[in-house]
Amino acid sequence: MAEGRREQPPHPPLSLPPASKRPCLRPAPRGPGPGPGHGSGSPGSRYRSPESLLDCAAKAVAEKWAFERVEERFERIPEPVQRRIVYWSFPRNEKEICMYSSFQCRVAGEEGPSAAAAGSGGTGSGATNAGGGAGSTAGAAAAVGAAGVVGTGDGLPFRRGIRLLETGCVENVLQVGFHLSGTVTEPATASEPEVTHKVAISFDRCKITSVTCGCGNRDIFYCAHVVALSLYRIRKPEQVKLRLPISETLFQMNRDQLQKLVQYLITAHHTEVLPTAQKLADEILSSNSEINQVHGAPDPTAGASIDDDNCWHLDEDQVREQVKQFLSQGGYYGSGKQLNSMFAKVREMLRMRDSNGARMLTLITEQFMADPRLSLWRQQGTGMTDKCRQLWDELGALWVCVVLNPHCKSEEKSGWLKQLKKWGDMDVCPLEDGNYGSELPNITNALPQSNLAQDSLSRPRRTVFSRAVEACDLHWQDSHLQRIISSDYYMSPSYQREGESLLFNPQGLPLWLDHVPTACARVDALRSHGYTREALRLAVAIINTLRLQQQRQMDIYKHQKKELLQRNVTSTTNLEGWVGHPLDPIGCLFITLTETCRMDDDNSMDTGGDPRPPVYHHVPVWGCPDVGESYLTLALEVALMGMGQQRIMPEGLYAQDKVCRNEEQIVSKLQELELDDLLVQTLRKQAVQLLEAGPFSGLGEVIHRESVPMHTFAKYLFSALLPHDADLAYKVALRAMRLPVLESSAGSGDVGHPHHGISIVPSRYPRWFTLGHLESQQCELASTMLTAAKGDMLRLRTVLEAIQKNIHSSSLIFKLAQDAFKIATPADSPPDITLLNVALELGLQVMRMTLSTLNWRRREMVRWLVTCATEVGLRALVSILQSWYTLFTPTEATSIVAATVMSHNTILRLSLDYPQREELASCARTLALQCAMKDPQNCALSALTLCEKDHIAFETAYQIVIDAASTGMTYSQLFTIARYMEHRGYPLRSFKLASLAMTHLNLAYNQDTHPAINDVLWACALSHSLGKNELAAIIPLVVKSVHCATVLSDILRRCTMTAPGLAGIPGRRNSGKLMSTDKAPLRQLLDATISAYINTTHSRLTHISPRHYGEFIEFLSKARETFLLAQDGHIQFAQFIDNLKQIYKGKKKLMMLVRERFG
C-alpha cells in the first residue's frame, strides 16, 4: 500500500490522554440487524414517548458497570446494545461539569423542600439531565443556575465554556467508544488572534477520567475548552458522531484494510508516528518480545478496566501546588478566600458523593501540614493568625464530616484514621484550642469528665484532628438512630407514652440522647454527603431532645429558686458551650433547617457582586402532629436555645475570640429571617423560657460569675421583640446588661470553674482576653435601649439605672452619653429633654469616675459636658458650677467650664435675660475664687479674668495671688499675671507682681537664651516707664537674680536710652532727663554688669577651644562697650586685659588675638 495516496488529513491527530489500556481481545459478535445511528435514542421534545427498555437498561449499566465487566459477563453483545451503553456512559449532569470548572456551584432551588423530598437515596451522578439534555433550553437554564461561584462569573471556565458553546466555537466533535474529541476555537480579540485548541476527553461510568487540551491549562479546574466540548456532548448528543471502540472497528477489517489503515496513518503523521510504528513492528516480529507475551492489545477508547478506580479526573499536582501557593501568601485576604473556596469545593464533592472530596481534602491537608510557618511558630512560641486558625478549624471539621460518612467502607475509614493519627502525632500539628489545653469533653462522651479539675499539663494533647479521630469510633448501626433517619413518621405507640423514656418524648416523638455537638456532627455529615432528608429528621429529633432537657432544667430550677436567689450566685454552668464550639453545633442545625426553607430565584447566578439576602418560607415538619411547626420555626428556636445557653468563658484568647465571632455569625443569620407571626410567637416563647430557666440560661436570674455575657444575643432579641412585645424586649435587654466578672471578686464558695484552685496569679478579671470587646457589646446594647426609649421617661430612667449599675468603663459611659445627646438633639426637630437629661447624668457620672484618674480624653469629656448642660438649660449650668469640686479639677473648672459658660456664644444660645446672666456670672465668679484659693498656681489668672467685671471679686482674686506669690507660685506664673495686669491697666499692681516674680528667678552667667529673659527685660522696661523710684526698687532684685552679663548689659543700655517715668501715671512729675550710670540706681547695675563680664570671661576661658576664639573676641568687644560706660572704664578694661594676658599666657594663640584687637 506504499503507493497509496499521500494526502494530509485536514486535522492532525490529537495526542490521546492517558487512558485505560486494558487488553481488548476481540469484540463480541455483532447481533442481527443494524444498530441505531449516532442520533438515535436522543431525547426529543418535552412530550416524547417513554424510553425503550434497551435505553433504560443501557443507562443503568453505563452508570454502574465497567465495560470490561459487560464483555466478560456476556458472550454476545449486539452492536445496538454496545452503542447505547457507550452513548449513555458520558456524564449527563451539567452540574458535575460545573463542579469541576468553578469554585462553587449551586443549582437554584437545590435545597428546597422538593429537592429534599425527592429522596436522598439517589446517587451522585444521576439527577438533573437524565435524558442526556439534548439541546433543550432547560439544559442551558440549569447550567446558568448551576454556577453560583466565588469570583467574577464571566471569568470562570464554566461561564466561558458556555459562551464558547453558544457562539458556535465547538466543531469536529467525534466520540469513539469512551473517548470524545473535538476542536474549540477562541475568537480573536483586540490583542490576541483567533486560536483553535484540540480537546480530548476520556470517560467511564458517567465520569470524566482524563482531559487533554491544546491550551496547556494548568489548574485545579477544567479549562473553558473542556467545558465547551463536554456541554456540547450533553446538550447536543444527536450532533455527535458516535463510533464503537476502535478495536471493534479494526476487528471488522481484513488484512488488506488493516495494512492500508496503518500505512495511511503513518503517511499522514510520519514525523510523529514513524519511529513508534517501526519500534512496534520490530517487537511484533520478534517472537520473544514482551509485546507478544500479552494476549490482545490496548484500546484507549474501550473504557476502564474492572480494577480501575471510577472517579472524576482531578489534577493532584495542581491541587498541591495551588494550596502551597495560597499558604505561602500568608495573611493576605485573597489567599484565605481562595482556601475557603477550596474547602467549599470539598463539601460540594461530598454532597455529590464524589470520592474526590476526601481525596482533595487529603491533598489540602498534606500541604497544610507541610507549611513551614508551623515549625517557625512552634519554635518562636507565637500563635498563628486568626485567619489561619479559622482555616485549620474548617479543615478539622471537614475531616469529621468525611469520617462520619454513613456509607463509607470500613477499609476507607481505617485508612483515614491511620492518616489522621499520623498527622496528629506530628509536633507541628496545631492544637484544637490554640496555645491552651482543652477541657472540653471528647466527641464520644456526652457527660462531663471526672478529672476536669486536673492541671491542664496533665490533660491529653488535643489537636485539630482529635475530633475526627474520635469520630472514627462512631457508627450508624444503632437501630433507634436508623429508624429516626429513615422515616418521617417514626413515633412510639400511644400506650407507651406514660412515664419516662430515653427514646421518645411525652408526645411520642423520637429523641436522640447524644452529646449535643456529636449529634450535630452527625447531622452535618448527613447533610454534607447529600442525605438532606435524613439530616432534617435527625435535626428534629435533636431539637425535641433539647426542648425536653430545657423543660426539665426549668423544673429543677423551680425547686431551687428560693435558695439560689438568696445566695445570688451559682456554681451551675456548662463547661462546654455550643456557641464557639469547634463543631459549631448550633450553626450546623440552623443551616440544615433553613436550607430546606430557602427560596432561590431560578436561573440566577452569583457573579461575584453583592449577594442577595436569602428569602425563606415555612415548610411544615414532615410527620409532626403540630401543624403550626415548620423547619423555619425550629431553626429560630434552636438558635435561640443555643445562644441563650449559660456557659463558662473558655480558656485562651483564640477560644474566647471564637465565641464572639460565632455568636455574631449566628446573629447575622438570624437577622436574615423576616419575622412573621409564627416566628414572633417562637421568639416570644423562647425569650420567656430563657428568662425563667434559672442558672441553665444565660438570661436567668442567677448566673455564674464567669458566664459568657449575653449582650450581643440580647441586642438581637431586643430589636426583634420591640415592635411586638416592648415589655418583654426591655426585660430581656435589662437582664442581659450585667457583666458579673467585673463585679467584686467571687466568694470562696464559688468554685464552679475547675481552675479556680490552681490559678497562679490571682486576678479580678480571670483570663478574659476579649473583655474590651465584651464591654463594647454591653455598651451597644445600652445604646440600642436608649435610642428605643426616647421620649419615655420611665423606660429611660430604668435604662439609666442599668447603665450606672453594670457599665464600669468611663470611656464607654461617655460614648453612651454622646449617643444619647446625638439622638436627643436631631437637626430637624426640637430636642428631647428627657433623653438630654439622661445624657447629662451619664456625663456627670463620667466626670466623677475620671476626676482622680488619668484619662487622655478628659478635656474632651469636660468640654462635651458643658455643651450638654448648655442644651439642657440654665439650671444644669448653675448646678455644675456649684458642684464643680465633685466633677472637675480647679484648672478644668476655671479654664474650660467657667470660661465656656461665660462666653458670649453661651449667653446667646440660652437667650438669657439680665437677672439670669447675673446669676450665672455670680456662680462663675464664686467658682473662680474657690479654684484660685485651692490651686492659685494654675487658676489665678483664670480667676482674675472671670472676675474682671466685679470689683470686689477682682480685688479678692488679686489678693489671693499676692498671698500665694511668696509660697507656691513660680516666676513664670507671676510674670504672666503681671503682664495681664499691665494689659488691664494696672501698672503698679503689675510692677508689684513682677517684683515678686524676680525674687523667684535665678539666671546663671551662661543662660543667655533662658525663656525668662524676655520677662526680665519687660519687667525692667515697666519699672523704667513708671519712674526712677520703681527702677531703683527693681534693680537690686535684678542684680541679685540675674548673673548673665549680656542680659545685664542689655538692661543697662535700655535704661540709658530714654528718661524714666514715661508711663505718665497721674499725680507724678516726670523730669524728662536721662539717667547717669555714675549715680544710683544705674551705678549698681553697671558695677554688676562689669563684674558679670569679668566672671563670665574667666569661666569661658577655663574650657575654651580654638574654634571658639573668634566668638570670645567678640564677647570681649561687648564687654569693652560696657566698661566704657564708667568714668574710668577704659582704665578698668586695660587692667582687665593685662590680667588676662598674665593669667592665660599659656594660650598663646588666643592672647595674640587679644593683643591684636585690644592692644
Side-chain angles (χ1 to χ4, degrees):
M1 297 294 295
E3 68 277 14
R5 296 172 60 190
R6 299 177 178 269
E7 296 177 2
Q8 296 290 336
H11 297 288
L14 292 167
S15 57
L16 295 181
S20 170
K21 299 192 178 175
R22 62 181 181 84
C24 292
L25 307 179
R26 52 164 298 183
R30 298 180 60 185
H38 67 268
S40 63
S42 61
S45 67
R46 180 179 175 186
Y47 301 103
R48 65 181 184 273
S49 59
E51 289 179 340
S52 66
L53 185 60
L54 171 59
D55 273 326
C56 290
K59 284 173 70 175
V61 169
E63 188 173 346
K64 299 295 184 185
W65 281 20
F67 195 65
E68 185 181 19
R69 182 185 295 276
V70 178
E71 290 179 322
E72 289 181 353
R73 180 75 176 269
F74 303 100
E75 188 175 338
R76 286 173 54 86
I77 307 175
E79 184 177 324
V81 175
Q82 291 189 54
R83 283 181 175 275
R84 300 319 291 160
I85 292 174
V86 169
Y87 174 86
W88 288 113
S89 291
F90 196 82
R92 311 161 198 166
N93 190 346
E94 292 191 8
K95 183 181 175 186
E96 293 170 324
I97 307 299
C98 177
M99 182 167 70
Y100 280 91
S101 56
S102 58
F103 255 125
Q104 184 174 352
C105 70
R106 179 173 57 79
V107 173
E110 173 196 352
E111 308 304 341
S114 57
S120 46
T123 54
S125 59
T128 41
N129 293 348
S136 64
T137 56
V144 174
V149 295
V150 176
T152 55
D154 289 343
L156 292 169
F158 187 76
R159 290 298 301 160
R160 289 177 52 227
I162 290 177
R163 195 161 61 248
L164 290 170
L165 173 64
E166 291 174 347
T167 52
C169 297
V170 182
E171 296 176 319
N172 307 313
V173 183
L174 172 67
Q175 180 179 341
V176 180
F178 296 87
H179 182 270
L180 183 72
S181 62
T183 59
V184 180
T185 303
E186 283 274 9
T189 63
S191 58
E192 298 289 339
E194 179 180 281
V195 183
T196 299
H197 301 292
K198 302 169 189 175
V199 185
I201 299 173
S202 294
F203 54 92
D204 175 59
R205 283 167 276 182
C206 299
K207 294 182 176 69
I208 292 176
T209 55
S210 68
V211 298
T212 302
C213 180
C215 70
N217 173 66
R218 298 291 293 170
D219 198 355
I220 297 176
F221 303 120
Y222 301 163
C223 66
H225 316 110
V226 171
V227 171
L229 182 60
S230 302
L231 295 182
Y232 187 98
R233 172 60 178 79
I234 292 174
R235 296 185 183 184
K236 305 176 182 180
E238 75 285 352
Q239 298 181 23
V240 177
K241 299 176 184 177
L242 179 63
R243 300 287 185 268
L244 293 178
I246 193 67
S247 54
E248 171 76 14
T249 305
L250 295 176
F251 184 76
Q252 298 173 20
M253 297 181 181
N254 59 31
R255 183 197 174 284
D256 290 341
Q257 289 172 322
L258 287 171
Q259 183 171 358
K260 181 178 288 188
L261 172 68
V262 171
Q263 287 189 236
Y264 265 97
L265 183 62
I266 292 172
T267 302
H269 306 288
H270 63 278
T271 55
E272 297 94 355
V273 176
L274 187 58
T276 305
Q278 186 60 54
K279 179 183 177 183
L280 291 173
D282 292 343
E283 291 186 5
I284 290 173
L285 292 174
S286 172
S287 59
N288 297 326
S289 64
E290 184 179 349
I291 200 171
N292 286 321
Q293 308 303 316
V294 180
H295 193 45
D299 181 359
T301 67
S305 68
I306 297 173
D307 299 328
D308 288 345
D309 289 333
N310 180 224
C311 59
W312 285 78
H313 170 70
L314 180 69
D315 192 331
E316 296 189 358
D317 291 338
Q318 279 303 302
V319 173
R320 294 190 188 96
E321 187 61 34
Q322 292 214 8
V323 175
K324 184 178 180 180
Q325 179 184 346
F326 293 147
L327 286 172
S328 68
Q329 292 171 3
Y332 291 106
Y333 170 74
S335 61
K337 189 176 179 181
Q338 295 287 347
L339 287 168
N340 277 317
S341 297
M342 295 184 79
F343 289 148
K345 178 59 63 181
V346 171
R347 285 193 179 272
E348 186 184 350
M349 290 175 173
L350 296 179
R351 199 176 189 86
M352 297 285 286
R353 299 172 205 170
D354 185 338
S355 60
N356 278 339
R359 182 175 159 210
M360 185 171 176
L361 184 60
T362 302
L363 298 172
I364 293 173
T365 308
E366 287 172 350
Q367 293 307 306
F368 266 69
M369 291 301 298
D371 188 349
R373 293 178 297 171
L374 290 178
S375 57
L376 187 65
W377 285 327
R378 187 169 180 272
Q379 291 168 5
Q380 296 176 345
T382 56
M384 62 179 69
T385 62
D386 282 350
K387 291 289 184 188
C388 205
R389 276 251 34 135
Q390 291 170 36
L391 293 171
W392 276 100
D393 282 351
E394 178 64 11
L395 197 66
L398 275 172
W399 273 114
V400 172
C401 275
V402 168
V403 301
L404 275 178
N405 180 356
H407 289 114
C408 74
K409 299 174 183 176
S410 59
E411 55 268 23
E412 279 184 313
K413 186 177 282 191
S414 298
W416 293 331
L417 178 60
K418 181 179 178 182
Q419 185 64 63
L420 288 166
K421 285 183 175 179
K422 178 183 174 183
W423 288 328
D425 289 339
M426 295 173 68
D427 291 338
V428 296
C429 185
L431 300 182
E432 183 178 66
D433 57 351
N435 297 324
Y436 291 81
S438 174
E439 60 184 26
L440 301 181
N442 65 34
I443 196 170
T444 57
N445 190 351
L447 300 175
Q449 316 217 327
S450 59
N451 60 347
L452 284 177
Q454 64 183 339
D455 193 332
S456 60
L457 295 176
S458 63
R459 290 198 299 269
R461 178 174 178 265
R462 293 186 61 80
T463 69
V464 291
F465 301 116
S466 293
R467 293 186 182 273
V469 171
E470 293 159 2
C472 290
D473 296 331
L474 299 175
H475 60 81
W476 298 87
Q477 279 70 49
D478 184 273
S479 59
H480 181 58
L481 176 61
Q482 285 292 324
R483 291 189 182 98
I484 289 174
I485 65 176
S486 61
S487 173
D488 292 322
Y489 303 99
Y490 176 44
M491 299 178 70
S492 67
S494 56
Y495 61 84
Q496 294 181 356
R497 295 181 189 175
E498 298 296 329
E500 294 289 324
S501 170
L502 294 177
L503 301 182
F504 301 93
N505 68 5
Q507 292 75 41
L509 297 172
L511 305 175
W512 181 242
L513 289 173
D514 197 356
H515 175 225
V516 173
T518 306
C520 296
R522 289 182 183 273
V523 173
D524 194 28
L526 287 169
R527 170 179 163 269
S528 296
H529 288 90
Y531 301 101
T532 309
R533 188 72 168 266
E534 288 85 345
L536 285 170
R537 291 166 182 156
L538 183 55
V540 172
I542 294 170
I543 293 171
N544 286 330
T545 307
L546 294 177
R547 284 172 168 173
L548 188 62
Q549 289 176 350
Q550 187 183 53
Q551 188 58 50
R552 288 177 179 171
Q553 289 171 348
M554 292 178 70
D555 294 340
I556 293 171
Y557 173 58
K558 286 175 183 176
H559 293 94
Q560 302 174 343
K561 185 172 182 179
K562 186 175 179 181
E563 177 191 352
L564 285 171
L565 291 178
Q566 286 176 347
R567 289 169 52 200
N568 198 33
V569 69
T570 179
S571 60
T572 303
T573 187
N574 293 287
L575 295 175
E576 182 179 48
W578 300 333
V579 175
H581 192 280
L583 297 176
D584 189 18
I586 301 303
C588 163
L589 291 178
F590 187 85
I591 292 173
T592 301
L593 294 163
T594 53
E595 274 184 348
T596 306
C597 307
R598 182 165 177 163
M599 298 173 64
D600 289 317
D601 295 334
D602 290 339
N603 304 333
S604 65
M605 175 177 175
D606 178 9
T607 56
D610 294 334
R612 298 178 184 177
V615 179
Y616 299 101
H617 66 135
H618 287 282
V619 177
V621 178
W622 293 297
C624 178
D626 185 356
V627 293
E629 191 159 88
S630 73
Y631 289 108
L632 203 56
T633 60
L634 288 182
L636 176 61
E637 183 175 359
V638 77
L640 298 177
M641 291 170 73
M643 294 278 284
Q645 176 206 30
Q646 194 205 161
R647 55 201 181 270
I648 203 160
M649 180 65 78
E651 288 192 10
L653 170 60
Y654 178 71
Q656 292 174 18
D657 182 63
K658 191 173 181 181
V659 168
C660 300
R661 189 168 56 247
N662 193 206
E663 197 173 40
E664 289 167 359
Q665 289 167 351
I666 296 173
V667 166
S668 176
K669 293 182 182 300
L670 286 172
Q671 289 170 337
E672 293 176 350
L673 300 180
E674 187 174 340
L675 298 179
D676 56 17
D677 292 342
L678 272 177
L679 293 178
V680 169
Q681 182 182 345
T682 303
L683 191 69
R684 293 174 68 174
K685 176 184 174 184
Q686 193 56 228
V688 170
Q689 288 183 331
L690 289 172
L691 288 171
E692 297 176 353
F696 302 98
S697 162
L699 293 171
E701 290 180 86
V702 181
I703 57 172
H704 190 279
R705 179 172 176 261
E706 293 189 38
S707 178
V708 174
M710 296 281 113
H711 307 132
T712 304
F713 177 44
K715 182 184 173 187
Y716 164 75
L717 285 178
F718 179 81
S719 301
L721 285 168
L722 191 64
H724 311 286
D725 191 338
D727 289 338
L728 181 59
Y730 278 99
K731 191 173 182 182
V732 168
L734 290 169
R735 176 75 61 81
M737 274 294 293
R738 60 198 170 185
L739 190 54
V741 76
L742 293 184
E743 305 297 339
S744 58
S745 298
S748 58
D750 183 13
V751 292
H753 192 272
H755 294 155
H756 266 241
I758 60 170
S759 178
I760 299 173
V761 181
S763 169
R764 185 184 171 199
Y765 313 136
R767 342 164 263 103
W768 283 42
F769 300 98
T770 56
L771 190 58
H773 172 76
L774 297 173
E775 286 188 286
S776 69
Q777 291 301 303
Q778 183 188 34
C779 177
E780 287 292 323
L781 174 60
S783 180
T784 304
M785 284 196 286
L786 283 174
T787 305
K790 180 181 178 181
D792 190 327
M793 189 177 298
L794 290 178
R795 291 209 193 280
L796 280 173
R797 180 55 53 185
T798 309
V799 175
L800 177 61
E801 290 171 358
I803 292 170
Q804 292 172 330
K805 177 183 177 183
N806 296 295
I807 297 185
H808 306 277
S809 166
S810 58
S811 59
L812 292 177
I813 297 177
F814 181 52
K815 181 182 183 303
L816 282 174
Q818 289 178 304
D819 291 347
F821 180 79
K822 183 182 287 187
I823 299 163
T825 54
D828 54 353
S829 59
D832 184 294
I833 195 63
T834 55
L835 194 52
L836 263 179
N837 278 310
V838 169
L840 178 62
E841 203 156 335
L842 290 171
L844 293 174
Q845 183 180 350
V846 172
M847 291 297 101
R848 288 188 286 268
M849 292 173 71
T850 58
L851 179 58
S852 58
T853 59
L854 294 174
N855 192 307
W856 64 274
R857 299 185 66 189
R858 174 75 184 177
R859 288 182 66 84
E860 177 193 355
M861 292 172 175
V862 173
R863 292 183 186 281
W864 178 88
L865 183 74
V866 177
T867 303
C868 182
T870 304
E871 287 296 325
V872 174
L874 175 64
R875 298 267 58 89
L877 288 175
V878 170
S879 175
I880 65 171
L881 289 174
Q882 291 176 342
S883 58
W884 70 268
Y885 46 86
T886 64
L887 304 171
F888 315 109
T889 64
T891 307
E892 293 168 346
T894 53
S895 63
I896 301 177
V897 180
T900 307
V901 168
M902 295 301 296
S903 68
H904 184 64
N905 288 339
T906 303
I907 304 300
L908 289 178
R909 181 76 181 85
L910 293 174
S911 304
L912 300 180
D913 57 22
Y914 181 76
Q916 291 172 325
R917 290 201 298 270
E918 279 305 304
E919 179 185 10
L920 203 58
S922 176
C923 290
R925 288 192 292 268
T926 303
L927 174 149
L929 293 175
Q930 291 172 345
C931 292
M933 288 289 291
K934 192 169 184 179
D935 185 7
Q937 296 94 331
N938 298 310
C939 301
L941 181 58
S942 298
L944 287 166
T945 306
L946 289 166
C947 296
E948 281 178 358
K949 296 181 180 179
D950 186 280
H951 176 70
I952 296 175
F954 186 80
E955 290 297 324
T956 306
Y958 174 68
Q959 191 58 46
I960 292 171
V961 174
I962 296 299
D963 294 342
S966 60
T967 54
M969 298 187 72
T970 65
Y971 64 84
S972 61
Q973 293 167 340
L974 289 169
F975 274 130
T976 302
I977 298 172
R979 285 177 181 267
Y980 163 79
M981 282 295 188
E982 184 197 29
H983 182 67
R984 289 298 177 191
Y986 299 101
L988 291 176
R989 291 183 177 183
S990 175
F991 168 74
K992 185 172 184 178
L993 289 168
S995 299
L996 290 170
M998 289 298 300
T999 62
H1000 293 73
L1001 180 64
N1002 185 20
L1003 210 62
Y1005 76 92
N1006 57 350
Q1007 291 182 301
D1008 51 358
T1009 58
H1010 195 280
I1013 291 175
N1014 285 333
D1015 289 324
V1016 173
L1017 294 175
W1018 168 81
C1020 292
L1022 173 67
S1023 305
H1024 187 267
S1025 68
L1026 291 175
K1028 187 175 181 180
N1029 293 336
E1030 284 74 14
L1031 185 62
I1034 205 168
I1035 281 179
L1037 300 177
V1038 171
V1039 169
K1040 183 179 180 181
S1041 303
V1042 180
H1043 307 287
C1044 181
T1046 54
V1047 175
L1048 290 171
S1049 64
D1050 197 6
I1051 295 171
L1052 183 63
R1053 181 181 57 80
R1054 292 175 185 230
C1055 290
T1056 56
M1057 288 176 66
T1058 57
L1062 294 181
I1065 297 177
R1068 291 198 181 185
R1069 296 177 60 190
N1070 181 12
S1071 63
K1073 295 181 179 179
L1074 296 177
M1075 296 180 67
S1076 170
T1077 56
D1078 293 332
K1079 298 179 181 179
L1082 294 187
R1083 179 67 193 184
Q1084 183 182 2
L1085 180 60
L1086 176 61
D1087 292 343
T1089 306
I1090 291 173
S1091 177
Y1093 267 116
I1094 293 171
N1095 293 334
T1096 304
T1097 300
H1098 287 296
S1099 297
R1100 294 183 68 168
L1101 283 171
T1102 304
H1103 304 290
I1104 196 168
S1105 63
R1107 61 195 179 100
H1108 294 133
Y1109 285 175
E1111 182 184 334
F1112 177 74
I1113 298 299
E1114 294 301 320
F1115 173 77
L1116 285 181
S1117 299
K1118 291 180 181 179
R1120 180 170 60 179
E1121 293 174 3
T1122 302
F1123 272 84
L1124 294 178
L1125 291 175
Q1127 284 188 348
D1128 56 347
H1130 61 286
I1131 299 173
Q1132 291 186 45
F1133 185 73
Q1135 291 175 349
F1136 173 54
I1137 293 297
D1138 289 341
N1139 288 338
L1140 290 181
K1141 294 176 185 176
Q1142 185 64 32
I1143 296 170
Y1144 302 102
K1145 58 185 177 183
K1147 299 182 183 295
K1148 296 181 180 179
K1149 186 175 181 180
L1150 177 59
M1151 291 303 110
M1152 183 182 69
L1153 293 174
V1154 170
R1155 279 194 295 273
E1156 286 178 358
R1157 176 69 68 90
F1158 305 108

